[in-house]
Amino acid sequence: MTLATPDHIDRMDGLVAAFHAESGIEMGSDARRAAIMPLLEGVPHGAAYLIGPPRAPIGYVVVSFGWSLSAGGMTGAIDEIFVRPGVRGRGIASETLQSLPRALAAAGLRSLDLEVPRGGERILRICTRAGFTQRPDSTLLSRRY
């Protein structure tokens, strides 16, 4: 896994476009690149990592950062994780979900969350194997603007 930089914008954009197409997320190219670039430039609100060799990545993961008193400090949420369809089933997502929390914890992160879509049993199994657990005490709610 490699922290993505502005030099990786074309690779990130291609991967994000593929994920969005697969997930039914509609976003124009300009808007998508405008959302990606601050992460690559080091905005403190999140980070993007390329999975696989930086010159030919096979996926990516984006983490958004926040703060929680109950967690005791900085927290993170995996916003998107994507592995190209041709290389799925080889443990790449599992390996990423096991190594990423360790690396972020070493940087001071207190917890890492991940939302699994309804019907996402496969990703739920991968996350469970990587040590993520369902929170029985909460339901995620959102309000979009």
Side-chain angles (χ1 to χ4, degrees):
M1 207 169 26
T2 303
L3 183 63
T5 67
D7 292 340
H8 300 122
I9 183 63
D10 292 332
R11 291 175 193 91
M12 277 294 301
D13 185 46
L15 290 165
V16 173
F19 174 71
H20 285 188
E22 184 178 296
S23 301
I25 298 170
E26 293 185 24
M27 179 182 280
S29 177
D30 290 343
R32 186 178 54 249
R33 289 175 79 91
I36 295 168
M37 189 52 88
L39 294 170
L40 307 184
E41 293 174 331
V43 68
H45 308 295
Y49 298 89
L50 295 170
I51 300 170
R55 289 183 161 216
I58 56 174
Y60 72 95
V61 60
V62 170
V63 179
S64 298
F65 300 119
W67 193 267
S68 170
L69 294 177
S70 62
M74 187 169 55
T75 61
I78 295 177
D79 181 55
E80 294 183 2
I81 182 168
F82 174 76
V83 174
R84 290 188 186 277
V87 294
R88 289 182 188 158
R90 299 180 187 178
I92 296 163
S94 293
E95 182 180 322
T96 300
L97 290 174
Q98 289 172 1
S99 62
L100 181 66
R102 286 192 299 264
L104 293 173
L109 204 74
R110 305 292 299 176
S111 72
L112 184 61
D113 298 323
L114 171 63
E115 179 183 359
V116 176
R118 291 193 203 304
E121 285 78 20
R122 183 171 180 261
I123 189 70
L124 184 59
R125 284 191 306 275
I126 291 169
C127 294
T128 301
R129 280 194 308 263
F132 288 81
T133 58
Q134 288 184 301
R135 293 169 54 174
D137 59 339
S138 68
T139 299
L140 179 65
L141 303 174
S142 296
R143 180 175 174 179
R144 299 220 176 201
Y145 301 95

